[in-house]
Amino acid sequence: EKDGYDYFMLKEIAEQPKAVADTLLGRIDAQGALHLDEVRIPAAVLREVTKVVVVACGTAYHAGMIAKYAIEHWTRIPCETELASEFRYRDPILDQRTLVIAISQSGETMDTLMALRHAREQGAKVLAICNTNGSTIPRESDAVLYTHAGPEVAVASTKAFLTQLVACYLVALYLGQVRGTKWGDEINSVVGELAHIGTEVDTVLGTMEPVRELARSLADKDTVLFLGRHVGFPVALEGALKLKELAYMHAEGFAAGELKHGPIALIEPDLPVVVVVPSPRGRSVLHDKIVSNIQEIRARGARTIVVAEEGDEAVVPYADHLIRVPATPTLLQPLVATVPLQVFACELATARGNEVDQPRNLAKSVTVE
Ligand code: M6R
């Protein structure tokens, strides 16, 4: 059932263009309006929401971090994203006008389940974003948006993550449409871009050989750092998590702006540092700042591995290795920027002789708190 791939992870990485298309299926009409009928929470209730809280663990938590940027930008509703395992222990402030979004591939993660139970006890409405039909988390939620990624067998989450992102964007855009915000035009154009994002993911997959080669050349390293800003920050965290769980390497993700507040002390000659660069269009201030970061770390001898959009020439002089991704709207960039980091981790794990689909000490679904 690996369809000729050596590992389920490779198969699932390759399935991502179809998976994201399946998440979108039937949810955008020809006029660009979103139809999330499964979100049985009435529009009238969604219009009254005063706060959104996203709870999740691991990779799903990284999707939730990205959801925060999208929700706050497109809906102007304050949104916080919290690790499900921390959530109920801090006595969070919740009421009937709070929308809690619980993200889980398996639908069985105990930490996430306990967080959503706590939220419902406080009267909050819970929307699950889940990949597994009929699992516990959707059963215990007020509504569910299934990601339709198909079964994910590899312990390391890949296609589930991309489809969780798409589902989060759909929810954010839907909330924006239902409530009406000043971003109406932008929402319409992003919906249009989302509709063919599978093609962009496919383009990235077609250019991965140099990434695999690079990964193999780093097999004897101890540490890899990942930097990003804005939605690229959770992408950096996700790249680091993949590397930890698959390659058993020390990997850390940082918000690039934090570098000067401590982590820059870690930079030493030949240390591989992956930098996820935001688009030079749109949030160009951030782009310029991250280019300075790349210069700074390179001046200290780091080996820079730069993930940047097609046509971004400013990064070229400072990139020891350049990984190109198609240009997308800023908030959608994680859908293309994460893919090379998945391939990178998978190839490093293989090069180090690790079991790719079943990393040591890990289980696919974590049903204990
Ligand atoms: O099934 P879930 O999405 O609730 O699982 C959450 C995490 O356990 C999961 O994403 C984990 O971090 C993955 N192994 C990461 O690749």
Side-chain angles (χ1 to χ4, degrees):
E1 3 153 9
K2 288 183 200 151
D3 290 350
Y5 291 95
D6 289 344
Y7 308 109
F8 280 106
M9 186 182 177
L10 285 172
K11 173 174 177 255
E12 289 160 7
I13 288 174
E15 283 170 346
Q16 291 182 114
K18 177 169 185 316
V20 296
D22 287 346
T23 311
L24 292 164
L25 208 65
R27 288 169 172 166
I28 303 177
D29 71 18
Q31 282 69 45
L34 297 172
H35 296 281
L36 302 187
D37 301 335
E38 313 107 295
V39 181
R40 293 184 314 261
I41 306 170
V45 173
L46 293 177
R47 278 190 208 103
E48 296 303 312
V49 166
T50 53
K51 180 165 87 164
V52 179
V53 181
V54 187
V55 290
C57 305
T59 288
Y61 171 71
H62 298 150
M65 288 178 76
I66 293 164
K68 174 184 161 72
Y69 290 88
I71 289 169
E72 292 200 332
H73 177 69
W74 286 322
T75 73
R76 309 312 294 155
I77 310 171
C79 175
E80 53 195 63
T81 297
E82 176 129 10
L83 288 167
S85 55
E86 289 293 319
F87 181 66
R88 67 193 175 116
Y89 299 101
R90 70 170 170 91
D91 196 9
I93 301 163
L94 303 161
D95 61 27
Q96 289 80 351
R97 296 174 74 184
T98 310
L99 175 67
V100 171
I101 302 178
I103 310 175
S104 175
Q105 188 287 129
S106 62
E108 302 296 346
T109 299
M110 188 56 74
D111 287 315
T112 311
L113 181 62
M114 296 313 273
L116 82 84
R117 281 186 184 158
H118 182 80
R120 290 193 82 194
E121 277 162 20
Q122 315 295 307
K125 286 266 178 289
V126 177
L127 167 66
I129 290 180
C130 186
N131 194 42
T132 311
N133 280 37
S135 53
T136 312
I137 287 173
R139 278 208 317 271
E140 293 207 15
S141 299
D142 294 285
V144 54
L145 194 65
Y146 282 110
T147 45
H148 301 311
E152 192 181 62
V153 177
V155 165
S157 189
T158 54
K159 63 175 179 173
F161 177 69
L162 256 63
T163 59
Q164 283 160 356
L165 286 178
V166 170
C168 289
Y169 295 131
L170 287 174
V171 170
L173 295 161
Y174 181 67
L175 281 172
Q177 279 189 354
V178 166
R179 295 165 65 101
T181 67
K182 64 173 177 169
W183 299 114
D185 289 347
E186 184 180 310
I187 288 176
N188 293 340
S189 97
V190 170
V191 168
E193 301 264 355
L194 249 191
H196 55 78
I197 199 74
T199 316
E200 315 286 21
V201 175
D202 204 35
T203 304
V204 180
L205 288 172
T207 59
M208 288 296 96
E209 195 41 47
V211 174
R212 283 189 280 267
E213 210 172 287
L214 170 65
R216 289 192 291 271
S217 76
L218 299 175
D220 60 349
K221 294 284 179 195
D222 299 319
T223 299
V224 180
L225 302 185
F226 293 77
L227 301 177
R229 278 196 92 125
H230 192 257
V231 290
F233 169 42
V235 172
L237 294 178
E238 175 61 8
L241 178 61
K242 288 279 105 64
L243 211 57
K244 285 175 208 170
E245 68 178 337
L246 292 161
Y248 316 150
M249 288 168 86
H250 172 227
E252 275 197 77
F254 300 108
E258 276 293 289
L259 206 57
K260 58 188 175 301
H261 299 290
I264 199 163
L266 292 170
I267 306 295
E268 57 187 17
D270 223 27
L271 177 75
V273 184
V274 178
V275 189
V276 181
V277 180
S279 166
R281 304 160 296 116
R283 283 175 180 66
S284 55
V285 193
L286 287 186
H287 173 268
D288 297 352
K289 288 194 166 148
I290 218 163
V291 173
S292 310
N293 292 141
I294 304 173
Q295 283 177 261
E296 281 158 13
I297 57 176
R298 198 157 186 265
R300 289 164 177 80
R303 189 150 153 201
T304 57
I305 303 164
V306 176
V307 181
E309 99 174 18
E310 215 55 75
D312 179 352
E313 296 307 320
V315 295
V316 175
Y318 315 110
D320 293 313
H321 305 273
L322 185 54
I323 302 170
R324 289 294 191 188
V325 291
T328 58
T330 307
L331 282 162
L332 302 190
Q333 198 200 36
L335 288 170
V336 290
T338 306
V339 176
L341 309 189
Q342 298 167 339
V343 172
F344 181 70
C346 184
E347 191 69 25
L348 255 163
T350 312
R352 286 162 73 96
N354 297 352
E355 174 51 63
V356 171
D357 287 334
Q358 287 287 337
R360 66 187 184 197
N361 309 339
L362 288 169
K364 183 63 183 161
S365 67
V366 185
T367 52
V368 290
E369 253 199 294

